[in-house]
Amino acid sequence: MRKKKKYLKKAAAFAAAFSAAAVLAFTPGSQAEAATAATAATTTYVNSVYTNEPVTTEQAGLRPIAVMMPTDKAAQPSYGIGHAKVLYEIMEEGDISRQMAIIDDWTALTKIGNIRSCRAYYIPLAMEWDPILVHFGGVWYMKDWITRPDINNLSGTSEYGTGGDAPGASAFFRSSDRKAPHNAYISARGIMNASAQLGYSLTIRPAYYNTKHFQFAAGVNTLAQYGAGAANASVINLSNIFPYTKTGFTYNAADGLYYKTIHGKAHTDGLDGKQLAFANVIVQNTKWAPLDAKGYITFTDHDTTEDGYYFTHGKAIHITWQKTADYGPTRYFDDAGNEIQLNTGKTYIAVAQKGRLPVFS
């Protein structure tokens, strides 16, 4: 009981601190300006574990959220997806994919989602980042995963579909502009309040959190070091992997980013209308198997023998990948066995059914 009260006080204090900062930011007059200047003078920065970009130490210590978001055409656009520093897309039953957005700067977001259900194979990938998992139910195949005591999740309904708790369900809300199931959302305030009630830490948990994930290049990695081994990849077509969404990317040499499309259109964030763009695109070929006649499938998240592709700066190389522990990061290697050097910025990862390959030119 004492331990739970300690967590509740810590989470509540963390939420209060962010609320106070937001109020101060909108307080007019010299008092607010002076306070802002004083804060800026004492702020220290570190490189983000997600993007290698400079962030405050406070931001770096904030626990991320992992939000399940749909790719359904009727569900677009999602809100807050543009804040995802790492965005996963994986196939589900019905030959339709789903997304998991790893968001670290979520504390000011008033509308996050729409939010959909989870599947078991998303959880080991989420655990790499030790997030608070935000989902709207799931399927019974994930029961053993989602009920683990080390997993912190918020669910709008029974957490594994056919049963389980619904932790933080009161924090979710529905909009009137879309029909269910495409209209479920949550806010930063809702996440903070629910986490305080459930005793979830809002700061990174040292016992689980990895301070190192991707290997980032010291400068700009153009893949020129691979010579002819780096193929042209100004356009990436993932229609073979995700036939419903026909996910694609077009490289913009002006800023060095790949701009994402979905259903043949720009994939945008409902909060600001901006198109999603990534410095790094990874296709991770993965063993998979059907589970039942309803079409549910599973993926082998832990592996050391599968391959894939890394795209950056309009080029592509063949890679291999390894993941050997739930909380351990997935690591990516070139064909010489060297860990690849990602460029600073956001990363998109397509976990592809083995046998379905990207097309690029």
Side-chain angles (χ1 to χ4, degrees):
M1 181 63 73
R2 289 179 180 177
K3 186 176 181 181
K4 183 175 182 180
K5 287 182 178 179
K6 182 179 179 181
Y7 274 118
L8 288 171
K9 289 180 180 179
K10 185 176 180 181
F14 192 87
F18 270 98
S19 296
V23 171
L24 180 62
F26 290 99
T27 301
S30 58
Q31 183 179 359
E33 293 171 359
T36 301
T39 300
T42 59
T43 299
T44 56
Y45 292 84
V46 295
N47 290 337
S48 166
V49 70
Y50 311 96
T51 66
N52 199 44
E53 296 168 322
V55 296
T56 66
T57 53
E58 183 180 48
Q59 177 65 54
L62 176 66
R63 198 172 177 195
I65 56 175
V67 188
M68 298 305 307
M69 294 184 175
T71 63
D72 303 64
K73 194 171 185 179
Q76 303 307 311
S78 292
Y79 290 75
I81 194 169
H83 285 256
K85 301 306 187 298
V86 182
L87 180 65
Y88 294 91
E89 184 173 357
I90 313 178
M91 187 62 74
E92 292 192 344
E93 66 280 357
D95 228 18
I96 296 177
S97 61
R98 190 152 292 177
Q99 302 161 117
M100 181 172 69
I102 308 298
I103 304 174
D104 64 328
D105 58 341
W106 54 268
T107 56
L109 300 180
T110 57
K111 188 177 184 181
I112 304 169
N114 37 23
I115 299 169
R116 294 297 301 275
S117 58
C118 189
R119 301 292 180 268
Y121 43 84
Y122 287 99
I123 299 177
L125 296 177
M127 291 169 72
E128 296 189 18
W129 309 100
D130 186 31
I132 296 172
L133 177 63
V134 182
H135 62 113
F136 210 92
V139 295
W140 74 271
Y141 290 112
M142 59 188 271
K143 177 182 178 181
D144 291 343
W145 282 99
I146 204 67
T147 57
R148 285 174 47 159
D150 55 317
I151 300 297
N152 289 168
N153 66 303
L154 303 177
S155 179
T157 187
S158 299
E159 57 192 350
Y160 53 89
T162 59
D165 297 329
S170 62
F172 293 78
F173 62 91
R174 290 192 180 274
S175 66
S176 59
D177 59 332
R178 291 173 177 165
K179 295 181 179 179
H182 303 312
N183 62 348
Y185 302 89
I186 201 168
S187 67
R189 175 55 54 191
I191 294 172
M192 290 178 184
N193 290 340
S195 295
Q197 294 168 4
L198 294 163
Y200 295 168
S201 174
L202 291 180
T203 56
I204 58 177
R205 302 186 298 178
Y208 301 104
Y209 185 74
N210 276 280
T211 58
K212 185 177 181 181
H213 287 266
F214 300 133
Q215 288 277 354
F216 288 103
V220 177
N221 184 3
T222 64
L223 300 184
Q225 68 270 33
Y226 296 99
N232 290 329
S234 293
V235 177
I236 307 169
N237 185 342
L238 301 187
S239 295
N240 291 340
I241 299 172
F242 304 122
Y244 171 70
T245 61
K246 296 179 173 58
T247 299
F249 296 86
T250 300
Y251 178 64
N252 181 5
D255 59 12
L257 299 178
Y258 281 99
Y259 284 79
K260 188 175 185 295
T261 55
I262 185 171
H263 302 295
K265 298 180 179 180
H267 191 173
T268 60
D269 187 328
L271 290 177
D272 57 17
K274 292 183 179 180
Q275 187 173 4
L276 305 189
F278 299 86
N280 311 287
V281 173
I282 294 173
V283 171
Q284 183 174 320
N285 298 328
T286 307
K287 296 185 184 76
W288 67 285
L291 288 175
D292 58 28
K294 295 181 179 180
Y296 286 106
I297 59 178
T298 186
F299 286 84
T300 304
D301 292 320
H302 292 193
D303 210 332
T304 61
T305 62
E306 293 306 322
D307 67 345
Y309 296 88
Y310 172 52
F311 303 88
T312 194
H313 272 265
K315 295 287 185 177
I317 59 169
H318 180 264
I319 61 172
T320 57
W321 62 272
Q322 297 181 7
K323 179 176 170 65
T324 57
D326 291 343
Y327 284 98
T330 304
R331 302 175 65 195
Y332 303 93
F333 303 88
D334 63 22
D335 287 344
N338 302 307
E339 195 158 0
I340 63 172
Q341 305 291 301
L342 271 65
N343 278 304
T344 295
K346 299 176 181 179
T347 298
Y348 165 91
I349 301 173
V351 175
Q353 291 167 280
K354 185 176 179 179
R356 294 188 176 191
L357 300 176
V359 175
F360 51 90
S361 60

mmCIF file of all heavy atoms in Angstrom, residues 141 239 268 329-330 339:
data_model
loop_
_atom_site.group_PDB
_atom_site.id
_atom_site.type_symbol
_atom_site.label_atom_id
_atom_site.label_comp_id
_atom_site.label_asym_id
_atom_site.label_seq_id
_atom_site.Cartn_x
_atom_site.Cartn_y
_atom_site.Cartn_z
ATOM 1 N N TYR A 141 -5.495 -13.992 -27.588
ATOM 2 C CA TYR A 141 -4.139 -14.496 -27.796
ATOM 3 C C TYR A 141 -3.089 -13.671 -27.035
ATOM 4 O O TYR A 141 -1.978 -14.134 -26.822
ATOM 5 C CB TYR A 141 -3.793 -14.488 -29.289
ATOM 6 C CG TYR A 141 -4.549 -15.511 -30.108
ATOM 7 C CD1 TYR A 141 -5.492 -15.108 -31.044
ATOM 8 C CD2 TYR A 141 -4.317 -16.876 -29.951
ATOM 9 C CE1 TYR A 141 -6.185 -16.043 -31.805
ATOM 10 C CE2 TYR A 141 -5.004 -17.818 -30.709
ATOM 11 C CZ TYR A 141 -5.937 -17.389 -31.636
ATOM 12 O OH TYR A 141 -6.613 -18.325 -32.378
ATOM 13 N N SER A 239 3.178 -1.880 -51.372
ATOM 14 C CA SER A 239 1.881 -2.488 -51.697
ATOM 15 C C SER A 239 1.908 -4.008 -51.593
ATOM 16 O O SER A 239 0.878 -4.632 -51.290
ATOM 17 C CB SER A 239 1.448 -2.084 -53.113
ATOM 18 O OG SER A 239 1.206 -0.697 -53.185
ATOM 19 N N THR A 268 -1.452 12.164 -43.289
ATOM 20 C CA THR A 268 -1.344 13.391 -42.500
ATOM 21 C C THR A 268 -1.796 13.179 -41.056
ATOM 22 O O THR A 268 -2.479 12.214 -40.730
ATOM 23 C CB THR A 268 -2.177 14.524 -43.117
ATOM 24 O OG1 THR A 268 -3.558 14.123 -43.152
ATOM 25 C CG2 THR A 268 -1.703 14.838 -44.530
ATOM 26 N N PRO A 329 16.497 -3.962 -27.397
ATOM 27 C CA PRO A 329 16.171 -3.337 -28.683
ATOM 28 C C PRO A 329 16.412 -4.265 -29.861
ATOM 29 O O PRO A 329 17.247 -5.165 -29.800
ATOM 30 C CB PRO A 329 17.126 -2.139 -28.725
ATOM 31 C CG PRO A 329 18.296 -2.564 -27.898
ATOM 32 C CD PRO A 329 17.717 -3.398 -26.792
ATOM 33 N N THR A 330 15.661 -4.047 -30.923
ATOM 34 C CA THR A 330 15.948 -4.710 -32.189
ATOM 35 C C THR A 330 17.140 -4.007 -32.813
ATOM 36 O O THR A 330 17.164 -2.781 -32.922
ATOM 37 C CB THR A 330 14.746 -4.640 -33.142
ATOM 38 O OG1 THR A 330 13.600 -5.213 -32.490
ATOM 39 C CG2 THR A 330 15.020 -5.407 -34.425
ATOM 40 N N GLU A 339 26.669 -2.773 -37.411
ATOM 41 C CA GLU A 339 25.386 -2.176 -37.093
ATOM 42 C C GLU A 339 25.185 -0.925 -37.945
ATOM 43 O O GLU A 339 26.089 -0.097 -38.065
ATOM 44 C CB GLU A 339 25.313 -1.825 -35.606
ATOM 45 C CG GLU A 339 23.897 -1.536 -35.140
ATOM 46 C CD GLU A 339 23.704 -1.708 -33.646
ATOM 47 O OE1 GLU A 339 24.681 -2.059 -32.952
ATOM 48 O OE2 GLU A 339 22.568 -1.492 -33.182
#
